[in-house]
């Protein structure tokens, strides 16, 4: 059985009370899946709360949604790798929403990857196709075509597998995952493809039951 990563990207959603409600429901579900690693990526401010919850759970890990391209220091508003490492193991880098809304280009993405690696964080690098250049080996690459994000219009599993295969051929990363309108009904069409090693889930991860169903059906 291949290893699968099921990753929740909550984006800029949820107040503290809503995070607590999500945890209260999610902790009732049986998460003993041998081959599935679950990674939750909340807003920075909710990492401490989630860390205290996941302590009991072998199979759950935490990730941040971004990282400063700088070390610690005079960079108002930034959260650096050293700070993130206290709470999380993974970090999403180069999400298309950051590329679009915060002008993140390849240079910035590469600087962030370097920062993550420097502080022992595992990058989850988001790319839109197979044409990108990175200087380091990253843990996970997520293929997320923009047309499929938040649209209920996922890529076809066949094309997602084709792009994943090309990414695997050109990079040293072990794991390529798919993201874009994944839900509990379509998840296994992606995860059963030979070169797709998991999913990165936005909207559908905000609901604990739906996210659990995604994990179960993957
Ligand atoms: P949706 O699952 O809401 O399409 O978002 C995908 C995504 O951007 C995950 O990072």
């Amino acid at each position: 059985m291949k290893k699968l990563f099921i990753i929740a990207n909550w984006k800029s959603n949820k107040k503290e009370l809503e995070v607590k409600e999500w945890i209260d429901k999610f902790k009732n579900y049986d998460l003993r899946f041998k081959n599935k690693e679950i990674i939750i990526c909340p807003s920075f401010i909710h990492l401490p709360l989630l860390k205290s919850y996941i302590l009991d759970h072998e199979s759950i890990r935490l990730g941040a949604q971004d990282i400063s391209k700088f070390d610690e220091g005079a960079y108002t508003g930034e959260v650096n790798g050293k700070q993130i490492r206290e709470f999380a193991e993974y970090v999403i880098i180069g999400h298309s929403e950051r590329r679009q809304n915060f002008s993140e280009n390849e240079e910035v993405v590469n600087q962030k990857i370097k920062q993550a690696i420097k502080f022992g964080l595992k990058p989850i690098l988001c790319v839109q196709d197979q044409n990108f250049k990175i200087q380091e080996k990253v843990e996970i690459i997520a293929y997320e075509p923009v047309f499929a994000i938040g649209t209920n219009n996922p890529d076809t599993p066949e094309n997602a597998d084709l792009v994943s295969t090309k990414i695997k051929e050109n990079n040293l990363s072990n794991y390529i995952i798919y993201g874009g309108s994944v839900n509990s009904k379509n998840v296994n069409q992606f995860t059963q493809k030979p070169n797709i090693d998991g999913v990165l889930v936005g909207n559908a991860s905000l609901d604990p039951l739906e996210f659990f169903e995604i994990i179960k059906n993957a």
Side-chain angles (χ1 to χ4, degrees), residues 9 11 92 95 97 126 144 148-151 179-182 200-204:
N9 176 8
K11 307 189 180 183
I92 297 174
H95 194 283
E97 287 154 11
C126 297
E144 290 209 320
I149 296 179
T151 56
S181 298
V182 171
L200 181 52
V201 188
N203 273 330

Side-chain angles (χ1 to χ4, degrees), residues 143 145 147-148 153-161 163 178-181 189-190:
Y143 163 56
F147 68 80
N153 177 31
D155 200 349
T156 61
E158 290 68 32
N159 191 55
D161 190 52
V163 177
Y178 168 74
S181 298
Q189 295 169 25
F190 292 99

